[in-house]
Amino acid sequence: MMISGPKQSRNDIDVYLTPLIEDLTKFWDEGVLVFDGFRNETFQMCAMLFCTFNDFPTYGNFSGYSVKGHRACPIYEEDTSYMQLKHGRKIVYTRH
């Protein structure tokens, strides 16, 4: 599901993710009964979400990590190298 544009859910993304998380938890813990057409039988299948691909702001929304401000880099954290521009409120991240 893609949620984009000016009406993006921002920090309220959990409203959209809650049903997905519940389903993924069930798939992992209990599994679901599925039909194997080749063997003509049913079996219990467990599944998991392996990875996601998203941009940096979405990463912040999903993880709850702050991706703005002076310490925006999730890898360098306190050692993030930055410089605030003199004639604006923009922050430039250096040495990355």
Side-chain angles (χ1 to χ4, degrees), residues 19-34 43-49:
L20 174 63
I21 292 169
E22 290 171 356
D23 286 346
L24 288 172
T25 301
K26 179 181 178 182
F27 292 158
W28 181 252
D29 291 341
E30 304 168 25
V32 290
L33 196 60
V34 295
F43 67 97
Q44 198 74 13
M45 180 179 74
C46 293
M48 64 180 237
L49 178 64

Side-chain angles (χ1 to χ4, degrees), residues 42-95:
T42 58
F43 67 97
Q44 198 74 13
M45 180 179 74
C46 293
M48 64 180 237
L49 178 64
F50 180 67
C51 65
T52 63
F53 294 92
N54 42 266
D55 59 8
F56 203 57
T58 303
Y59 166 77
N61 286 341
F62 279 0
S63 67
Y65 192 87
S66 175
V67 293
K68 299 175 184 171
H70 296 163
R71 307 286 184 239
C73 180
I75 297 168
Y76 291 101
E77 294 179 340
E78 294 298 320
D79 296 326
T80 299
S81 178
Y82 67 90
M83 180 178 74
Q84 188 145 0
L85 299 179
K86 291 181 183 180
H87 302 292
R89 296 168 46 193
K90 299 278 184 187
I91 298 171
V92 178
Y93 302 100
T94 57
R95 294 188 286 146

